[in-house]
Amino acid sequence: MSEIAALLDETRTFAPGEAFVREAQVTTRAAWEAAAADPEAWWAEQARSRVEWHTPWTQVLDWQPPRVRWFLGGTLNVAENCLDRHVRTWRRNKAAFVWEGENGDRRTLTYWDLYVEVCKFANVLKQLGVRRGDRVGIYLPLVPEAAVAMLACARIGAIHSVVFGGFSPESLRDRLDDAQAKVLVTADGGYRRGQVVPLKRNADRALEAAPSVQHCVVVRRLPAGAADESFAEMRDGRDHWYHRLMQHADPHCDAAVMDAEDELFILYTSGTTGKPKGIVHSTGGYLVGATTTMQLVFDLRDDDVFWCTADVGWITGHSYLVYGPLANGATCVMYEGAPDWPERDRFWQLCERHGVTIFYTAPTAIRAFMKWGDHHVGKHDLSRLRLLGSVGEPINPEAWMWYRRVVGGDRCPIVDTWWQTETGAIVISPVPGVTHTKPGSATHPLPGYAVQLVDAQANALAKGGGLLTITRPWPSMLRTIWGDHARYEQTYFSKWPGRPDLYFAGDGAKLDDDGYWWILGRVDDVLNVAGHRIGTMEVESALVEHPAVAEAAVVGKHHELKGQAIAAFVTLREGVPASGELRDELREFVAAKIGAIARPDDVLFSADLPKTRSGKIMRRLLRDIADGRALGDTTTLADPSVVASLKEQYESQES
Ligand code: PRX
């Protein structure tokens, strides 16, 4: 809490630098004014001017809360918007992706190269029987083929579901199965900190129990020879090498004419139950949101080199590594590996080598860079950088100041962007040529968004602390949860009976006296570990599958670098002794079940889990224990009387 208090005492402000403003595209408040006067007309203007349509829409918005449709009757193709319209111009030979593998491999794909690859792979997918509306799973390292596969799906009207390469076989299987994917695109492996991530082996295990998948396309990422036997056993009839299929594929592929409301992709994210939610995004509205915010927030110009460090497995990788930048004809850096491999200056080496002008990363990375020391940054010429971005979790003022001073040389504005998988695009952020920033604040909503702070009863608040809601629909908002529309209504629009129009984001926030937004983090049972969303229930369900575990409760604890880390309280079955080995085994068990990002930092054995009379786990007590506030010596948790007395203390405080 003291940190939050410190955050809100922040009084430093930074006006956009003169040099930046001189060249910036947006320097006035005209867009906010126009959008406030008529939000629908403003979004319609963005859609008209930034996106190419086959047929124009006949109605901008249909809002039957919480059901929403944008640009009704409009038709378009997202891949055409990202590729065809650029290859018709001088951008044909402009770099779309400048890629580096962790092992030093390098490739540059121009818009023309990417266009040809996408058309060919679209034909490959068609040959494998993929039709409009079918689902395609993508489980790849961060290689250009990930973008190729996404765009190829978009080209033929198939719905992609990208699964982060760090997820386990079981997580992959659940997602493939939920979406009933017909094809999976994977690779023999990827590189992470010098190790091979055995994606194909993981995929094989997932496919054992994902019967909807008829074909598996395998990109060769590892050196030929090393790959074939050990990392990629190819099953006849089901598995196909990407390069073989591409060899004779036709480079012409007409783009499917899609309805604005057709689904573009599903992206799974963690919620408050054990089962991840398949967030569904639309074709027209999503593209309008991604392309508009890309331009506004990043002040994108044709000579920029934009690097978003996110993986395509997350929404940031969808909107700001693929769709937003490509729709705007940008050059993007794409990097496969870890920031500290082989050395801790890898990111700065990449920035220097490729002349990166806009750099967009997560606070967890910034905090790590800060800890590693300024000298790693100092080794490289970063003078081309002109704008810095942050996303995924609250950034503490100290990290913000370091980012500005050491990486940005005190000259680059910082855009701290708040948004979610569900919002599809950035919602709250500075516009760098206009907004005066405060370290740690995402500042104000962008034009076209109606963000409202409310209290527990949904009363609007002008300042102070409360819950973050969005009161008007926006084009790139999620349309549903795949296969579970009731869960969509229930999760986002049912917090306040009688207010099905109010989108509840799940975040707590504070508005200061100057009207600046400070995001305080999740108020539900979702953790944010190093910028990744993990549901406490997901980890709990994994733990109770272990034969030694009777019951488990998971909470977030403060972590200097990751923001939050996972602490698991576990009661063991009768007769199972607690031990250090079992603790390690349980940590690995969760990592194997979900993925390394969900590995608990702490596993605490407890005689009992403290519960309220109604049977709810007392999470505040557990959080206080995990953070060392409630109990010095956690080994005493094994004593039931200790838990009981803590419980009593907490109950008396709460009543
Ligand atoms: O809690 C907020 C946090 O990340 C959550 C969304 O996670 P996800 O859907 O995985 O998308 C992450 C990338 C957009 C939000 O509910 N969050 C995201 N951006 C910020 C943030 N918290 C504070 N400041 C941000 N800039």
Side-chain angles (χ1 to χ4, degrees):
M1 267 349 243
S2 62
E3 238 183 45
I4 291 174
L7 186 79
L8 301 173
D9 285 341
E10 183 59 59
T11 52
R12 287 171 287 199
T13 58
F14 293 88
E18 258 175 52
F20 190 92
V21 174
R22 221 176 301 125
E23 308 234 308
Q25 295 165 74
V26 178
T27 54
T28 72
R29 302 201 49 83
W32 281 274
E33 283 157 18
D38 189 343
E40 266 181 58
W42 188 79
W43 279 118
E45 180 50 32
Q46 307 314 307
R48 214 178 342 260
S49 59
R50 299 179 190 276
V51 170
E52 269 188 15
W53 300 79
H54 278 268
T55 23
W57 57 88
T58 51
Q59 186 183 338
V60 179
L61 171 65
D62 176 33
W63 179 222
Q64 320 267 346
R67 184 180 139 91
V68 68
R69 292 183 297 165
W70 280 88
F71 311 117
L72 281 77
T75 61
L76 73 160
N77 183 284
V78 169
E80 262 184 340
N81 271 279
C82 290
L83 301 169
D84 305 44
R85 65 167 156 165
H86 304 311
V87 300
R88 276 187 240 122
T89 71
W90 66 269
R91 286 196 187 115
R92 175 190 170 97
N93 297 319
K94 179 177 174 176
F97 286 116
V98 177
W99 175 82
E100 274 203 30
E102 194 190 68
N103 62 345
D105 289 350
R106 281 161 71 172
R107 281 163 70 189
T108 297
L109 276 88
T110 63
Y111 272 90
W112 176 254
D113 295 333
L114 190 61
Y115 166 78
V116 172
E117 285 279 303
V118 167
C119 288
K120 285 169 74 174
F121 196 59
N123 282 322
V124 164
L125 289 174
K126 278 200 215 167
Q127 269 164 21
L128 294 176
V130 178
R131 300 281 169 265
R132 193 189 254 262
D134 286 346
R135 276 77 59 208
V136 173
I138 298 175
Y139 183 63
L140 284 171
L142 197 45
V143 290
E145 284 75 10
V148 171
M150 291 162 78
L151 291 160
C153 289
R155 191 158 196 94
I156 61 172
I159 302 168
H160 60 70
S161 166
V162 183
V163 179
F164 173 54
F167 276 123
S168 67
E170 207 169 304
S171 298
L172 173 63
R173 193 238 9 237
D174 289 349
R175 287 158 174 76
L176 292 173
D177 196 52
D178 187 75
Q180 288 291 292
K182 211 168 179 179
V183 168
L184 174 66
V185 185
T186 188
D188 44 7
Y191 291 103
R192 189 76 190 174
R193 292 211 169 80
Q195 303 287 314
V196 171
V197 183
L199 292 166
K200 174 64 165 68
R201 281 192 210 152
N202 290 349
D204 283 341
R205 285 176 50 205
L207 293 182
E208 283 166 17
S212 64
V213 178
Q214 295 161 11
H215 295 282
C216 177
V217 180
V218 186
V219 173
R220 174 172 271 164
R221 167 75 190 101
L222 305 179
D228 296 46
E229 293 100 65
S230 61
F231 286 108
E233 276 176 30
M234 303 295 279
R235 187 198 285 183
D236 267 356
R238 186 194 71 183
D239 298 347
H240 318 267
W241 284 110
Y242 175 92
H243 59 275
R244 298 241 169 92
L245 295 174
M246 290 289 273
Q247 225 166 5
H248 303 293
D250 183 352
H252 302 281
C253 177
D254 285 340
V257 178
M258 305 303 291
D259 188 89
E261 280 298 313
D262 281 334
E263 298 96 337
L264 179 65
F265 65 84
I266 307 171
L267 183 60
Y268 286 84
T269 187
S270 292
T272 53
T273 72
K275 188 172 159 13
K277 306 177 277 198
I279 303 298
V280 176
H281 279 291
S282 68
T283 296
Y286 172 80
L287 187 66
V288 170
T291 184
T292 304
T293 52
M294 180 76 214
Q295 179 77 47
L296 264 179
V297 172
F298 297 106
D299 182 45
L300 193 69
R301 296 195 308 241
D302 250 319
D303 60 351
D304 273 316
V305 177
F306 179 76
W307 183 16
C308 163
T309 65
D311 190 275
V312 278
W314 311 111
I315 191 68
T316 310
H318 283 60
S319 301
Y320 301 105
L321 182 58
V322 179
Y323 292 117
L326 296 180
N328 281 288
T331 294
C332 286
V333 170
M334 187 189 254
Y335 168 59
E336 175 191 35
D340 54 353
W341 195 269
E343 301 293 337
R344 289 175 163 178
D345 66 341
R346 186 66 189 265
F347 272 18
W348 318 122
Q349 184 195 56
L350 274 149
C351 281
E352 177 175 11
R353 176 149 63 229
H354 302 295
V356 172
T357 58
I358 307 174
F359 180 70
Y360 189 36
T361 197
T364 191
I366 298 166
R367 289 190 290 263
F369 299 141
M370 197 165 119
K371 189 172 161 217
W372 295 341
D374 300 10
H375 58 288
H376 292 294
V377 189
K379 272 189 244 163
H380 298 280
D381 175 8
L382 302 182
S383 59
R384 285 186 179 263
L385 281 176
R386 65 184 197 91
L387 179 62
L388 302 174
S390 171
V391 60
E393 44 179 327
I395 178 165
N396 41 315
E398 196 198 347
W400 194 101
M401 289 301 294
W402 181 88
Y403 196 26
R404 181 181 156 91
R405 182 174 55 81
V406 179
V407 180
D410 274 327
R411 78 183 174 275
C412 305
I414 296 179
V415 288
D416 173 7
T417 62
W418 177 87
W419 58 296
Q420 309 176 295
T421 305
E422 292 87 343
T423 67
I426 298 169
V427 176
I428 305 180
S429 166
V431 170
V434 181
T435 311
H436 292 223
T437 51
K438 296 189 186 189
S441 165
T443 73
H444 311 290
L446 293 174
Y449 291 102
V451 185
Q452 177 69 58
L453 191 73
V454 301
D455 67 13
Q457 283 73 44
N459 298 307
L461 300 171
K463 62 179 181 175
L467 302 171
L468 195 161
T469 65
I470 309 181
T471 61
R472 260 200 326 258
W474 62 103
S476 64
M477 68 193 276
L478 78 165
R479 296 301 192 260
T480 188
I481 290 175
W482 183 259
D484 197 351
H485 194 69
R487 189 172 176 197
Y488 159 84
E489 295 191 352
Q490 192 252 324
T491 309
Y492 305 107
F493 297 95
S494 300
K495 190 166 173 65
W496 297 283
R499 291 298 307 273
D501 57 323
L502 208 54
Y503 171 83
F504 172 52
D507 275 320
K510 182 151 176 158
L511 265 175
D512 71 14
D513 292 341
D514 306 326
Y516 278 67
W517 285 86
W518 301 80
I519 310 296
L520 302 178
R522 306 289 306 188
V523 295
D524 53 10
D525 293 331
V526 173
L527 306 180
N528 191 328
V529 178
H532 302 318
R533 257 162 88 163
I534 296 166
T536 52
M537 277 283 284
E538 270 176 272
V539 182
E540 288 165 8
S541 321
L543 281 166
V544 295
E545 281 185 45
H546 191 282
V549 175
E551 210 180 358
V554 164
V555 296
K557 62 173 251 181
H558 178 74
H559 190 281
E560 199 195 335
L561 294 183
K562 298 193 269 191
Q564 276 189 311
I566 299 176
F569 290 80
V570 167
T571 55
L572 295 173
R573 284 182 192 274
E574 275 301 305
V576 179
S579 68
E581 291 81 61
L582 183 57
R583 177 175 298 129
D584 294 342
E585 188 179 321
L586 291 177
R587 295 178 66 232
E588 291 318 309
F589 186 75
V590 174
K593 278 224 153 284
I594 303 175
I597 55 167
R599 182 187 286 116
D601 272 34
D602 298 339
V603 172
L604 300 152
F605 295 115
S606 177
D608 213 355
L609 292 182
K611 294 195 188 123
T612 61
R613 254 166 242 115
S614 61
K616 275 177 84 175
I617 289 173
M618 299 171 72
R619 290 182 184 275
R620 186 170 71 86
L621 166 54
L622 296 183
R623 276 194 294 269
D624 283 354
I625 297 175
D627 275 332
R629 285 189 298 269
L631 193 66
D633 175 12
T634 49
T635 55
T636 56
L637 280 172
D639 178 351
S641 64
V642 171
V643 182
S645 84
L646 273 171
K647 183 178 137 145
E648 253 169 56
Q649 265 177 42
Y650 270 67
E651 270 174 343
S652 61
Q653 284 168 23
E654 270 169 15
S655 56

